[in-house]
Amino acid sequence: MTKLRPDLQIIADNIAPGSRVLDIGCGDGALMAALRDEKQCDARGLEIDPANVASAVAKGLSVVQGDADTDLAAYPDGSFDYAVLSQTLQTTRRPDVMLEQLLRVGKQAFVSFPNFAHWRIRTSLLFGGRMPVTRLIPQTWYNTPNIHHVTIEDFRALVRDGKFAQENQWFLSGDKLTGQGMANLLAEHAVFLLRG
Amino acid sequence: MMSEDARFGLDRSVRLLGPLPLDSGASLAPVEFAYETYGELNADRSNAVLVCHALTGDQYLASTHPLTGKPGWWERMVGPGKPIDTDRHFIICANVLGSCLGSSGPATVNPATEKPWAMDFPVITIADMVRAQAMLLDHLGIERLHAVIGGSMGGMQAVSWAALYPERVASAVIIASAARHSAQNIAFHEVGRQAIMADPRWRGGAYYADDDPPSSGLAVARMAAHITYLSEAGLTEKFGRRLQDRDAKTFGFDADFQVESYLRHQGISFVDRFDANSYLYITRAMDYFDLAEAHGGVLANAFRGSKTRFCLISFDTDWLYPTSESRAIVHALNAAGAEVSFMELSSPFGHDSFLLENPEMNRIVDGFLKAGEGR
């Protein structure tokens, strides 16, 4: 079993065994395979990149090629215990609509994203005067798929405005869990568990 | 153990007593089947794969065609070590009901008259084709299919199999297909049928006794249909405006252009292997196809509670059964909570892409089938 990306490991650790899970932007299906093999979950995926879909299907996973912005609407209400959106929120056309969709399709939703207010990004912009390029946000401004950069505080505000319930939160610095204090400054990456 | 030749049962055939009840209300008895099998059925009868062929396809899936001498139509997909693996699977491909390569159709003998059925053959549907195949599987002692696989009209049969006999289908692979025929699909077929029926030699379909079939009409039908199997870009790449064996236009109506010559060849060679009346019956069956219709107009209802795993593949240049048609099936399967994978593959060859070399298609089908074998 290959090691999962840290945010995916947090999600995998916190999903109840035997759950129905929809992984949106599932990549090559690493999380889905782990959930299937270790937690006996019924996992389905939605992924835009054809090579990733082919890899996932070859692993025996049920993955549909499609665009989360348009294709999520075809899934019935409450058809999954969890909807998972990992490192994809910042690429969606309307993150607010995406959250609504996640919590329509799933009873709960995991959302993970790189925190644009991390101190390294702040200092890069403050002193370099250029759009930050970091380990988690490696593309330059003109070719990045990340069209809606978001900070932890922004996300919390969106959750409040959408009247969603926040069930849990985790913060990562490097590959390690970090505390909640000053997370918006110190965390590179955040994982939230929401309920509709 | 594998024998030297993985296949056996060359040109198998069987006549089953029936009757086979048809959607039209009529019934057919007896029912004749011509089919091919490859590989061996395992002890627990769990490795059977049914391949459903397209409109003008046949049972010669991976063996030389007896009339044309050409290799089987899906040898790229079927063979030892290939995705549909003659070493692992017991593969069945039957000439479809209504066709003309040995299974019951307008050219076979009507027991009541001891003459070919011609237009007295009952009008059939895709579901009738599937029920006939189920009869054949009963005869072969196969209760449950490891997989049913088809492209184009074969995909319509595969998806119908999953809807009609969910408990008999573990996995379904539906390639370059649709859950219903669109107005445009029906329109193209009607052009073909009218071309056949406008040929004076068609004579209401009663041309068998004189062995003088409406070849001109059938050739035109094939030419029109063949255009729909290709993409505009593919035609341009293959032929452009290039002239056929000449340096200048003739200012006449010979096949000046390569594309004309190609289509004429497609038409002429088709009539040697296909029956005009079969073309009428099978295109009709496809036009009547609308899987949602029998389920209150809601496609998802065709798959409620289904335990079948589905894999759908479409091609980006296929305008006959475009990706949106596959997506409609995928959305219905999602709505029904069925296990489904879907991918749109890139290929310049239009609808015909599913018959051509496509490593990505092979990889997906291979992975999908193997994953189903671990269960």
Side-chain angles (χ1 to χ4, degrees), chain A residues 7-67:
Chain A
D7 60 319
L8 298 181
Q9 190 61 58
I10 290 170
I11 294 168
D13 290 344
N14 288 281
I15 280 182
S19 301
R20 283 177 55 81
V21 181
L22 178 63
D23 188 353
I24 299 140
C26 64
D28 66 359
L31 173 65
M32 293 173 65
L35 290 173
R36 176 191 62 185
D37 299 339
E38 290 158 28
K39 295 215 156 175
Q40 297 74 49
C41 287
D42 181 356
R44 312 290 171 85
L46 182 64
E47 167 64 31
I48 199 162
D49 178 65
N52 275 338
V53 178
S55 299
V57 174
K59 287 179 191 151
L61 299 166
S62 293
V63 175
V64 166
Q65 186 188 3
D67 185 343

Side-chain angles (χ1 to χ4, degrees), chain A residues 43-112:
Chain A
R44 312 290 171 85
L46 182 64
E47 167 64 31
I48 199 162
D49 178 65
N52 275 338
V53 178
S55 299
V57 174
K59 287 179 191 151
L61 299 166
S62 293
V63 175
V64 166
Q65 186 188 3
D67 185 343
D69 277 324
T70 51
D71 290 324
L72 214 46
Y75 292 83
D77 294 359
S79 45
F80 292 92
D81 298 310
Y82 300 94
V84 175
L85 188 73
S86 61
Q87 299 196 354
T88 303
L89 184 71
Q90 73 280 1
T91 70
T92 61
R93 213 164 294 160
R94 284 287 300 272
D96 55 338
V97 175
M98 182 55 61
L99 274 198
E100 284 170 17
Q101 283 289 337
L102 292 179
L103 287 163
R104 180 187 66 79
V105 171
K107 297 183 183 87
Q108 299 185 76
F110 281 99
V111 180
S112 86

Side-chain angles (χ1 to χ4, degrees), chain A residues 157-192:
Chain A
L158 179 60
V159 169
R160 273 196 306 276
D161 293 348
K163 303 199 167 38
F164 305 119
Q166 184 184 306
E167 299 267 292
N168 213 335
Q169 53 186 348
W170 299 265
F171 303 106
L172 287 157
S173 181
D175 291 350
K176 299 214 161 43
L177 272 171
T178 178
Q180 302 201 3
M182 300 212 296
N184 200 38
L185 183 65
L186 299 178
E188 276 184 290
H189 205 120
V191 182
F192 282 82

Side-chain angles (χ1 to χ4, degrees), chain B residues 16 43 46 49 70 85 125 133 136 140 154 169 183 195 215 221 241 247 249 260 357 370:
Chain B
L16 301 178
S46 64
V49 173
K70 288 184 177 169
D85 189 348
T125 65
Q133 289 160 353
L136 177 62
L140 295 173
V169 181
S215 300
R241 292 185 51 81
D247 299 323
K249 296 188 272 283
E260 292 174 303
E357 183 69 31
K370 280 182 178 153

Side-chain angles (χ1 to χ4, degrees), chain B residues 89-318:
Chain B
H89 301 132
F90 176 66
I91 301 148
I92 308 135
C93 185
N95 188 217
V96 80
L97 183 69
S99 188
C100 50
L101 271 294
S103 291
S104 289
T108 53
V109 171
N110 177 354
T113 61
E114 295 183 347
K115 287 180 183 153
W117 284 95
M119 299 310 280
D120 289 336
F121 192 73
V123 169
I124 51 164
T125 65
I126 298 288
D128 292 333
M129 295 172 178
V130 167
R131 290 188 198 100
Q133 289 160 353
M135 268 178 79
L136 177 62
L137 293 194
D138 290 343
H139 164 73
L140 295 173
I142 295 163
E143 177 51 37
R144 185 172 155 86
L145 289 166
H146 169 52
V148 56
I149 302 176
S152 194
M153 186 183 83
M156 296 175 190
Q157 294 162 63
V159 73
S160 298
W161 256 101
L164 284 168
Y165 301 105
E167 72 289 351
R168 294 188 78 166
V169 181
S171 302
V173 181
I174 299 145
I175 305 175
S177 193
R180 42 139 224 176
H181 240 212
S182 69
Q184 191 189 42
N185 295 147
I186 296 168
F188 275 112
H189 273 175
E190 176 61 2
V191 170
R193 285 190 293 264
Q194 288 301 325
I196 290 167
M197 294 192 281
D199 186 328
R201 288 187 292 175
W202 180 60
R203 288 169 284 163
Y207 52 78
Y208 297 110
D210 307 330
D211 196 22
D212 184 24
S215 300
S216 309
L218 181 60
V220 172
R222 176 63 169 180
M223 288 168 75
H226 201 80
I227 302 167
T228 70
Y229 303 151
L230 308 172
S231 70
E232 199 268 338
L235 277 179
T236 301
E237 186 189 304
K238 201 166 180 179
F239 306 110
R241 292 185 51 81
R242 285 188 292 279
L243 300 177
Q244 179 69 30
D245 301 330
R246 63 200 68 188
D247 299 323
K249 296 188 272 283
T250 61
F251 290 90
F253 293 94
D254 265 2
D256 273 1
F257 293 102
Q258 284 183 7
V259 67
E260 292 174 303
S261 171
Y262 169 78
L263 277 185
R264 287 183 189 192
H265 171 76
Q266 289 296 328
I268 289 164
S269 54
F270 180 61
V271 301
D272 294 336
R273 68 174 180 89
F274 214 81
D275 176 48
N277 285 341
S278 279
Y279 197 86
L280 299 179
Y281 276 90
I282 299 176
T283 56
R284 202 75 192 126
M286 294 171 79
D287 291 348
Y288 279 172
F289 185 56
D290 179 0
L291 189 55
E293 195 177 48
H295 297 88
V298 180
L299 187 56
N301 289 345
F303 310 117
R304 297 271 173 227
S306 178
K307 298 269 184 283
T308 303
R309 304 163 66 235
F310 292 84
C311 178
L312 286 96
I313 296 171
S314 70
F315 294 93
D316 57 357
T317 55
D318 181 354

